Amino acid sequence: MKKFIAAGVFAALMAGVAPATAATQIDFWHAFSGRLGELLDEQVSKFNASQSDYVVVATSKGNYSETLNAGIAAFRAGEQPDILQVFEVGTATMMAAKGAIKPVYEVMAESGLPFDQSAYLAAVTGYYTTTDGEMLSLPYNSSTPVLYVNKDALTAAGLDPEMDLSTWDKVGTALDALKASGSKCPMTTAWQSWVHLENLSAYHNVPFATKDNGFAGLDTELALNGDVQVKHIETFGQWAKDGKFIYSGRRNEGGATFRAGECGLFTESSAGYAGVKNEATFDFAIRPLPYWSEVDGAPQNTIIGGASLWVMEGQTPEEYKGVAAFFNFLSSSDIQAKWHQDTGYLPITMAAYEATKASGFYDENPGTDIAIIQMTGKAPTANSKGLRLGSFDQIRGIIDEELEGVWNGSKTAKEALDSAAVRGDELLRRFEQANR
C-alpha cells in the first residue's frame, strides 16, 4: 500500500499514543497541459482538501498517444498508476488488455459507495460500456465537434454574421464570399479524421465500419469509403484547391490560427470553447456541425471525442476505495457543471446539465449547449453510437496521410478513402488475430 508519512507520526510514537493514519496515495496519469491541465489540477486539489483519507497525485504524461503508451509500458513493468486517462480511440485497446484494467462498475460495487449508472448521459457512457451496459471506464472529458464562426470575418465579407450555416452547401456560399473578400483562411479544421469522417458518418447515419462500427465484433472492416464520405472529402478537396479550405495539421494546429482571427470558419471540438473565449479578440459564435441536406435522416447525432478514466489492475483494496471516492467526487453535479462551463466538455450527468441550465449559463453564453443538444437530440443508431476499433490510433494516422494526399491534389477522394480502408483493414486483422 502506498502511503505518505503522516506528520507527527514519530512524535506520537514517542508519546506512547497511536499515530494518525497516513493518507493513501492515488496516482492519476493524464494527457492535459495548459489551461485544461490547470483546471484538472484544481479538481484534484479540491478533492484532496475535501477529505483526509486519500491524496490524488496527478501527473501529465504528454499527449493522448504518449499517455496511453506510458500506461501500457508501466503496466508491463509493474509500475502502473491507479488511474489512466485514455482517449476514446484507445477504448478497444484497453478492453483487449486482459488483466490490465479493473472495470469501473466493479470498483464502485466493491467500494460500497453509491453509484447509479442511469444518472450518466447515455450518449456519453455508451462509448465506454460493455454490451450488457456495464461501465468499463469513467467518462471524464467528452466533447463533440461544432462549427466556430468568426462573425467579424463574415461581416467584412459582406455577409450577415447571423447567416444560416446549417448545411455544407450554405457553408460553401459563405466560403465563396470569404475568399472573394481576400481572406487567406476562409476555413480550417482540427482533428480532420474525427470531424470529417468519423463524425460525418455518424451524423449522416452511415457506417464508418461494419459490425456496428466495431461494437459487435473484432471482425469489423472499415466502411469509410462510402458515397457520403467520398462526396464530403471530394468537396473539401476542391475547396482546398480553390484556397477556401486551409489544411493546418493533423491535430489542433488550426486552433491558434482561428483564435488569432485569421480564419472565418473552424470545425473543432466543443472543448475548444475555453481557448476561443480566452483568446479571441473578435466576435464569435458556436453553431451546430453542418450536414448534407440531401442525405435521408440527416442530421442524426454526432459522437464523442475526448477521453475516459481507466482503473488499472494490481492495486490495493484501499487504493480502489480511494479511486471510487475520487470518481464520485468528479461525477457530482457541482464539479461536473463547473467543468462543463469552464471547458466546453459535455457534462457527463443530466444533473450537471440541468444545474448549468438553471444557472442561466446557456443564456449568457449562446451556443454552449449546442454540443449536448447535437449529441442527444436523437436516439443513437448502430451507425451513430460510436466507434470501437482496435489499433485505432494507428488507423487515424493512415487516414490523416491519405487525406493529406487529397488536400495537396495528389489523390482523388475515392482513391484516398479506398486506400485508407485497405490499409486500415490490415491493422484490424492483426488486432483481431492478437485478441481472439
Side-chain angles (χ1 to χ4, degrees), residues 23 26 57 105-106 125 131 162 164-165 184 215 218 267 282 334 344 384 403-404 423:
I26 309 298
V57 177
Y105 72 89
E106 286 184 12
T125 58
T131 51
E162 305 300 329
D164 183 0
L165 294 168
K184 296 291 192 293
F215 275 80
L218 293 176
T267 46
F282 53 87
D334 57 336
S384 70
L403 289 178
E404 286 164 353
R423 295 172 64 193

Side-chain angles (χ1 to χ4, degrees), residues 91-150:
T91 300
T93 299
M94 294 301 287
M95 288 179 65
K98 297 175 178 62
I101 60 122
K102 188 173 178 68
V104 162
Y105 72 89
E106 286 184 12
V107 174
M108 300 307 294
E110 291 171 8
S111 74
L113 293 173
F115 179 61
D116 178 11
Q117 284 194 192
S118 67
Y120 297 82
L121 290 174
V124 175
T125 58
Y127 220 109
Y128 305 115
T129 56
T130 66
T131 51
D132 296 327
E134 300 279 19
M135 196 182 291
L136 295 169
S137 60
L138 183 78
Y140 178 55
N141 54 298
S142 296
S143 59
T144 204
V146 294
L147 177 69
Y148 290 86
V149 179
N150 180 334

Side-chain angles (χ1 to χ4, degrees), residues 8-21:
V9 168
F10 181 74
L13 288 171
M14 293 300 290
V17 297
T21 303

Side-chain angles (χ1 to χ4, degrees), residues 17-94:
V17 297
T21 303
T24 300
Q25 180 172 323
I26 309 298
D27 290 315
F28 173 18
W29 289 5
H30 65 85
F32 281 163
S33 58
R35 181 60 180 150
L36 290 175
E38 292 171 1
L39 291 168
L40 180 150
D41 288 340
E42 183 182 300
Q43 288 182 331
V44 169
S45 295
K46 280 185 180 178
F47 173 74
N48 288 341
S50 72
Q51 45 74 52
S52 58
D53 294 327
Y54 312 103
V55 174
V56 173
V57 177
T59 307
S60 175
K61 289 293 179 177
N63 64 34
Y64 280 138
S65 298
E66 291 164 345
T67 301
L68 174 58
N69 291 335
I72 292 170
F75 179 77
R76 288 172 179 161
E79 299 172 351
Q80 67 271 26
D82 298 281
I83 303 168
L84 182 68
Q85 183 189 30
V86 178
F87 60 163
E88 88 284 358
V89 301
T91 300
T93 299
M94 294 301 287

Side-chain angles (χ1 to χ4, degrees), residues 197-198 201-202 205-226 229 303 381-390 392 395 399 421 424-425 428-429:
L197 281 174
E198 297 161 36
S201 301
N205 197 22
V206 295
F208 182 84
T210 62
K211 296 285 181 177
D212 296 351
N213 287 337
F215 275 80
L218 293 176
D219 54 340
T220 177
E221 296 178 347
L222 294 177
L224 50 74
N225 53 342
Q229 295 98 328
I303 56 177
T381 69
N383 293 327
S384 70
K385 179 182 178 182
L387 306 171
R388 188 167 288 172
L389 304 174
F392 199 11
I395 289 173
I399 293 170
D425 281 348
L428 289 173
R429 296 293 69 76

